[in-house]
Amino acid sequence: MPYTYDSQNIFAKILRGEIPNSTVYESEHTLAFKDIAPSAPVHVLIIPKGPYVSFDHFSAEASDAEIVDFTRSVNEVCKISGVRMDAGNGFRAIANTGRDGVQDVPHFHLHILGGRSMGRMVTKTA
Ligand code: 5GP
């Protein structure tokens, strides 16, 4: 089944400027903004500007330029947020994906969480 992108999702609306956001960093292909309901002192969402549903969709179909830009943006956001390992205490990066990954917004986004210990990654119930 092909990836289908819903252009009415909330992050598409943010990208079109239809709803406001608290921008942390912006580059040619990437936008980073504060999560509206933060789960940690640092909680930033990094999204590609292109119409990608999920991390796998992005890594399969984005251009090299988009992928490089996105990856470099992670460094910029971590630097701005003070969580880079060389200057801060680190962070957790999460990409919830699809039904099993419990992804709410169907536009690929990477959560950057930090500013406190994030605890163990997942409950061991498998
Ligand atoms: P997901 O569960 O899809 O990985 O995470 C979606 C995230 O988007 C949630 O952490 C939620 O708080 C955040 N979010 C949902 N709507 C908005 C919004 O309108 N603005 C911002 N900045 N974040 C949002």
Side-chain angles (χ1 to χ4, degrees), residues 10-11 33-37 45 96 102-105 109 111:
I10 198 97
F11 294 169
F33 52 92
K34 292 185 180 174
D35 196 292
I36 202 166
L45 302 171
N96 297 320
V102 194
Q103 178 180 3
D104 288 330
V105 180
H109 49 283
H111 295 255

Side-chain angles (χ1 to χ4, degrees), residues 70-120:
F70 186 89
T71 305
R72 297 287 188 206
S73 296
V74 175
N75 170 55
E76 297 299 335
V77 167
C78 292
K79 188 161 53 176
I80 292 164
S81 304
V83 297
R84 235 169 61 162
M85 278 190 69
D86 59 348
N89 292 328
F91 58 93
R92 176 163 296 153
I94 300 175
N96 297 320
T97 305
R99 189 185 63 184
D100 285 357
V102 194
Q103 178 180 3
D104 288 330
V105 180
H107 181 114
F108 169 43
H109 49 283
L110 191 67
H111 295 255
I112 300 294
L113 295 146
R116 65 167 170 83
S117 171
M118 300 310 302
R120 291 285 167 198

Side-chain angles (χ1 to χ4, degrees), residues 12-102:
K13 291 179 180 177
I14 285 176
L15 285 166
R16 289 195 295 268
E18 294 168 9
I19 56 173
N21 75 91
S22 182
T23 298
V24 171
Y25 176 78
E26 184 169 9
S27 60
E28 184 180 359
H29 297 295
T30 308
L31 180 68
F33 52 92
K34 292 185 180 174
D35 196 292
I36 202 166
S39 299
V42 173
H43 191 168
V44 179
L45 302 171
I46 308 178
I47 69 172
K49 291 181 177 177
Y52 303 105
V53 176
S54 58
F55 202 169
D56 50 317
H57 186 200
F58 179 73
S59 56
E61 296 187 8
S63 67
D64 289 0
E66 289 175 299
I67 290 170
V68 168
D69 187 278
F70 186 89
T71 305
R72 297 287 188 206
S73 296
V74 175
N75 170 55
E76 297 299 335
V77 167
C78 292
K79 188 161 53 176
I80 292 164
S81 304
V83 297
R84 235 169 61 162
M85 278 190 69
D86 59 348
N89 292 328
F91 58 93
R92 176 163 296 153
I94 300 175
N96 297 320
T97 305
R99 189 185 63 184
D100 285 357
V102 194

